[in-house]
Amino acid sequence: MRIHRLSPELAAKIAAGEVIERPLSAAKELIENALDAGATSIRVELRGGGAELLRVTDDGCGIEPDDLELAIARYATSKVAASDDLHAVATLGFRGEALASIAAVSRLELLSRPGHLEAAAFLRVEGGIAIARGRCAAPPGTQVTVRDLFFNVPARRKFLRSAIGESRAILHLVTAMALAYPEVRFTLLDEGEERFSSLGNGSLQDALVRCFGADTAARLLPLPQPEESAIRVSGVVSPPDLHRGSRQHVFFFVNRRWIQSRALTAAVEEAYQTTLPAGRHPVAVLDIRLPYDQVDVNVHPSKSEVRFLREHEVFTAVQRAVRRAVVDAAGVPLVRSSLAPVVVPAGSDNGWPEPPGRLFARYDMLPGRPIRGTQDWEPAPKPAQDAQGAGARSGAALGTPLAPDESGLFRVLGQIGRTYIVAEGPDGMYLIDQHAAHERVLYEQFRRRLLGPGAPSASQVLLQPVALELGPVPAAWLQSEQETFACLGYALEPFGPTTWLVRAVPAALASKGAAAVEYLRAVVDELAEQRMPDAERRERACWSLACHAAVKAGDVLTHEEMIALLQQLERCDFSRTCPHGRPTIVHLSHAQLEREFGRR
Ligand code: ADP
Ligand code: MG
């Protein structure tokens, strides 16, 4: 076989396949062009999921009639002139190949009128070849109509997704763009019906209402005001009890460009620190701004990924901002009464699965309703012998001794089913799941120790070292993780190839004695076989240890132990869920009690 050059048409088709993979990619390019043209209103129309017809109309600056041919030529752009420009791209487009690519694989009409001209000019192209040109009346701006996408690339056409799936993906794209550009009015029509519109009045809150619905939008938490620094993160995130089944609702905009990033998504989820139930994801709209020359946008064919010069700093900034918003919002769940009708909107996505007929049919975390400081509730003074007993007994099962003079927020009334603590607190009654609560307390203590640089060593030396014999795989794993467990408070010394001498255990588990060594064995056995990234492994070590060491449902607790546990729980960042995301506390308010008893 001899080598020969491809015809320009074939080369263009092949190249087009890179940039325009599906109708969604064409829609994205056309919307980006409209935004680069300074449009304040962008209308997107679809038929057949965009494969039959995709039309984007804007009121931007328009294209000079003499430039129409250039606009659809390869590597022709008005946005980048010299190679230096590529180091700091401020426009969404810069490669000058989108229109050329779409034109190569469709029947395209480009119609445009710059504001200073009386009439519009149009150009029709089929499979990259100009077939007609003319003038007509039209409002200022540009309209690009793409028909029969991939009509001349049957292989690609065959593999297109269903029209419904593609329409949905384009709807998602348009909502993302509306979130990034609240000052632009977006309209989406699918098969002639309006599917989405934004107001374009510049208000992010209004855009959030359009994209997520009023209820969800009202609950999203604004990030703290960004500091004056090179990297600024603003936007909104969901409170921990509002979550979705997929990561689709986490949006990142970098200098107003919508990007996908697994690493940034992980940074956001990490900020929720296990307050989300397994498999659930937050809602977030994050606007990241940084100097143009600190981000490389030319790393992905569809420009949907970027590379940061100072990646670590960007992740830290995102995580810090999200975490502050989430921690500030941590309140206490409210119980909604069983008797009052419980209205869970159809398709509502943020509730817990609820068995019918449960007394507390639905609880709700209200942001901005911390227990502390909102009411003038005073706990009843504790009887004197409580205080004495506290110091002596509470350490026994719950590790950290009580400060007897510190009266907590709750007055403990008792334990039911050896599982739940009943307490009176601000505005009513509280039920606390003893295992979930203790798990949360221990988890946060461990985690602080592991992540907090220079945290005081918190170990309790055992009177007699305990030998820990492991299988070869767990032993090798523990060898490599020795530092993690040292941070948690376990002093380990190798004692033969698969045996360790445990000389000290975490102070929080001091009262457990040799049992604390068994917890370590359980954690090592559980984690040694699993492969996961470092950060996740340390996180899992914290929860696994907390889970094994926490008091269990069925354990009888003394009054003092319950007081100690509640006091520790109050000090947690995320007091109202266990590390697996299950609730630790439910609340029945005075008003609800009165309603239940027919007092009002
Ligand atoms: P790029 O956006 O990378 O420059 P495109 O192929 O998407 O490349 O567009 C080529 C050129 O056509 C743009 O640089 C711009 O000058 C012009 N253009 C495209 N769409 C529009 C539009 N909607 N309004 C005004 N000018 C446009
Ligand atoms: Mg473009």
Side-chain angles (χ1 to χ4, degrees), residues 38-52:
T40 62
S41 166
I42 299 176
R43 178 187 165 96
V44 181
E45 290 164 75
L46 308 176
R47 288 197 185 275
E52 228 173 88

PDB file of all heavy atoms in Angstrom, residues 38-52:
ATOM      1  N   GLY A  38     -21.045  38.348  23.272  1.00  0.00           N
ATOM      2  CA  GLY A  38     -21.659  39.316  24.179  1.00  0.00           C
ATOM      3  C   GLY A  38     -23.176  39.289  24.184  1.00  0.00           C
ATOM      4  O   GLY A  38     -23.812  40.294  24.510  1.00  0.00           O
ATOM      5  N   ALA A  39     -23.774  38.157  23.842  1.00  0.00           N
ATOM      6  CA  ALA A  39     -25.233  38.086  23.795  1.00  0.00           C
ATOM      7  C   ALA A  39     -25.849  38.288  25.177  1.00  0.00           C
ATOM      8  O   ALA A  39     -25.258  37.910  26.187  1.00  0.00           O
ATOM      9  CB  ALA A  39     -25.658  36.725  23.245  1.00  0.00           C
ATOM     10  N   THR A  40     -27.047  38.876  25.218  1.00  0.00           N
ATOM     11  CA  THR A  40     -27.785  38.967  26.480  1.00  0.00           C
ATOM     12  C   THR A  40     -28.986  38.036  26.451  1.00  0.00           C
ATOM     13  O   THR A  40     -29.668  37.860  27.441  1.00  0.00           O
ATOM     14  CB  THR A  40     -28.285  40.393  26.749  1.00  0.00           C
ATOM     15  OG1 THR A  40     -29.197  40.744  25.702  1.00  0.00           O
ATOM     16  CG2 THR A  40     -27.134  41.379  26.777  1.00  0.00           C
ATOM     17  N   SER A  41     -29.250  37.472  25.266  1.00  0.00           N
ATOM     18  CA  SER A  41     -30.370  36.556  25.143  1.00  0.00           C
ATOM     19  C   SER A  41     -29.972  35.452  24.164  1.00  0.00           C
ATOM     20  O   SER A  41     -29.482  35.734  23.063  1.00  0.00           O
ATOM     21  CB  SER A  41     -31.586  37.338  24.634  1.00  0.00           C
ATOM     22  OG  SER A  41     -32.569  36.428  24.207  1.00  0.00           O
ATOM     23  N   ILE A  42     -30.151  34.205  24.579  1.00  0.00           N
ATOM     24  CA  ILE A  42     -29.753  33.067  23.737  1.00  0.00           C
ATOM     25  C   ILE A  42     -30.893  32.066  23.716  1.00  0.00           C
ATOM     26  O   ILE A  42     -31.367  31.633  24.770  1.00  0.00           O
ATOM     27  CB  ILE A  42     -28.472  32.398  24.283  1.00  0.00           C
ATOM     28  CG1 ILE A  42     -27.317  33.405  24.276  1.00  0.00           C
ATOM     29  CG2 ILE A  42     -28.118  31.163  23.457  1.00  0.00           C
ATOM     30  CD1 ILE A  42     -26.034  32.878  24.891  1.00  0.00           C
ATOM     31  N   ARG A  43     -31.308  31.727  22.501  1.00  0.00           N
ATOM     32  CA  ARG A  43     -32.425  30.819  22.357  1.00  0.00           C
ATOM     33  C   ARG A  43     -31.939  29.568  21.641  1.00  0.00           C
ATOM     34  O   ARG A  43     -31.279  29.650  20.601  1.00  0.00           O
ATOM     35  CB  ARG A  43     -33.469  31.560  21.528  1.00  0.00           C
ATOM     36  CG  ARG A  43     -34.720  30.828  21.187  1.00  0.00           C
ATOM     37  CD  ARG A  43     -35.464  31.770  20.227  1.00  0.00           C
ATOM     38  NE  ARG A  43     -36.518  31.095  19.536  1.00  0.00           N
ATOM     39  CZ  ARG A  43     -37.786  31.116  19.945  1.00  0.00           C
ATOM     40  NH1 ARG A  43     -38.114  31.792  21.013  1.00  0.00           N
ATOM     41  NH2 ARG A  43     -38.698  30.466  19.267  1.00  0.00           N
ATOM     42  N   VAL A  44     -32.259  28.406  22.221  1.00  0.00           N
ATOM     43  CA  VAL A  44     -31.807  27.137  21.645  1.00  0.00           C
ATOM     44  C   VAL A  44     -33.048  26.346  21.244  1.00  0.00           C
ATOM     45  O   VAL A  44     -33.964  26.192  22.039  1.00  0.00           O
ATOM     46  CB  VAL A  44     -30.993  26.327  22.679  1.00  0.00           C
ATOM     47  CG1 VAL A  44     -30.499  25.019  22.079  1.00  0.00           C
ATOM     48  CG2 VAL A  44     -29.833  27.147  23.218  1.00  0.00           C
ATOM     49  N   GLU A  45     -33.083  25.879  19.999  1.00  0.00           N
ATOM     50  CA  GLU A  45     -34.218  25.065  19.541  1.00  0.00           C
ATOM     51  C   GLU A  45     -33.718  23.703  19.072  1.00  0.00           C
ATOM     52  O   GLU A  45     -32.686  23.623  18.410  1.00  0.00           O
ATOM     53  CB  GLU A  45     -34.919  25.754  18.363  1.00  0.00           C
ATOM     54  CG  GLU A  45     -35.674  27.000  18.733  1.00  0.00           C
ATOM     55  CD  GLU A  45     -35.988  27.819  17.494  1.00  0.00           C
ATOM     56  OE1 GLU A  45     -36.894  27.417  16.740  1.00  0.00           O
ATOM     57  OE2 GLU A  45     -35.300  28.829  17.270  1.00  0.00           O
ATOM     58  N   LEU A  46     -34.485  22.683  19.406  1.00  0.00           N
ATOM     59  CA  LEU A  46     -34.093  21.312  19.037  1.00  0.00           C
ATOM     60  C   LEU A  46     -35.228  20.575  18.371  1.00  0.00           C
ATOM     61  O   LEU A  46     -36.389  20.776  18.712  1.00  0.00           O
ATOM     62  CB  LEU A  46     -33.781  20.486  20.295  1.00  0.00           C
ATOM     63  CG  LEU A  46     -32.821  21.006  21.319  1.00  0.00           C
ATOM     64  CD1 LEU A  46     -32.784  20.034  22.491  1.00  0.00           C
ATOM     65  CD2 LEU A  46     -31.455  21.106  20.675  1.00  0.00           C
ATOM     66  N   ARG A  47     -34.863  19.696  17.458  1.00  0.00           N
ATOM     67  CA  ARG A  47     -35.783  18.649  17.010  1.00  0.00           C
ATOM     68  C   ARG A  47     -34.980  17.369  16.901  1.00  0.00           C
ATOM     69  O   ARG A  47     -33.811  17.406  16.519  1.00  0.00           O
ATOM     70  CB  ARG A  47     -36.410  18.992  15.654  1.00  0.00           C
ATOM     71  CG  ARG A  47     -37.417  20.110  15.762  1.00  0.00           C
ATOM     72  CD  ARG A  47     -38.359  20.217  14.577  1.00  0.00           C
ATOM     73  NE  ARG A  47     -39.187  21.401  14.757  1.00  0.00           N
ATOM     74  CZ  ARG A  47     -40.315  21.432  15.469  1.00  0.00           C
ATOM     75  NH1 ARG A  47     -40.767  20.316  16.042  1.00  0.00           N
ATOM     76  NH2 ARG A  47     -40.990  22.539  15.602  1.00  0.00           N
ATOM     77  N   GLY A  48     -35.624  16.263  17.252  1.00  0.00           N
ATOM     78  CA  GLY A  48     -34.918  14.977  17.193  1.00  0.00           C
ATOM     79  C   GLY A  48     -33.653  14.989  18.041  1.00  0.00           C
ATOM     80  O   GLY A  48     -32.616  14.488  17.605  1.00  0.00           O
ATOM     81  N   GLY A  49     -33.745  15.570  19.226  1.00  0.00           N
ATOM     82  CA  GLY A  49     -32.588  15.589  20.124  1.00  0.00           C
ATOM     83  C   GLY A  49     -31.423  16.394  19.570  1.00  0.00           C
ATOM     84  O   GLY A  49     -30.284  16.192  19.979  1.00  0.00           O
ATOM     85  N   GLY A  50     -31.710  17.292  18.621  1.00  0.00           N
ATOM     86  CA  GLY A  50     -30.656  18.138  18.073  1.00  0.00           C
ATOM     87  C   GLY A  50     -30.027  17.564  16.813  1.00  0.00           C
ATOM     88  O   GLY A  50     -29.320  18.263  16.083  1.00  0.00           O
ATOM     89  N   ALA A  51     -30.274  16.271  16.528  1.00  0.00           N
ATOM     90  CA  ALA A  51     -29.668  15.655  15.346  1.00  0.00           C
ATOM     91  C   ALA A  51     -30.417  16.089  14.081  1.00  0.00           C
ATOM     92  O   ALA A  51     -29.814  16.288  13.023  1.00  0.00           O
ATOM     93  CB  ALA A  51     -29.688  14.137  15.471  1.00  0.00           C
ATOM     94  N   GLU A  52     -31.725  16.257  14.218  1.00  0.00           N
ATOM     95  CA  GLU A  52     -32.524  16.705  13.085  1.00  0.00           C
ATOM     96  C   GLU A  52     -32.350  18.213  12.893  1.00  0.00           C
ATOM     97  O   GLU A  52     -32.071  18.690  11.799  1.00  0.00           O
ATOM     98  CB  GLU A  52     -33.993  16.436  13.421  1.00  0.00           C
ATOM     99  CG  GLU A  52     -34.806  15.758  12.375  1.00  0.00           C
ATOM    100  CD  GLU A  52     -36.165  15.451  12.982  1.00  0.00           C
ATOM    101  OE1 GLU A  52     -37.036  16.336  12.902  1.00  0.00           O
ATOM    102  OE2 GLU A  52     -36.326  14.351  13.563  1.00  0.00           O
TER     103      GLU A  52
END
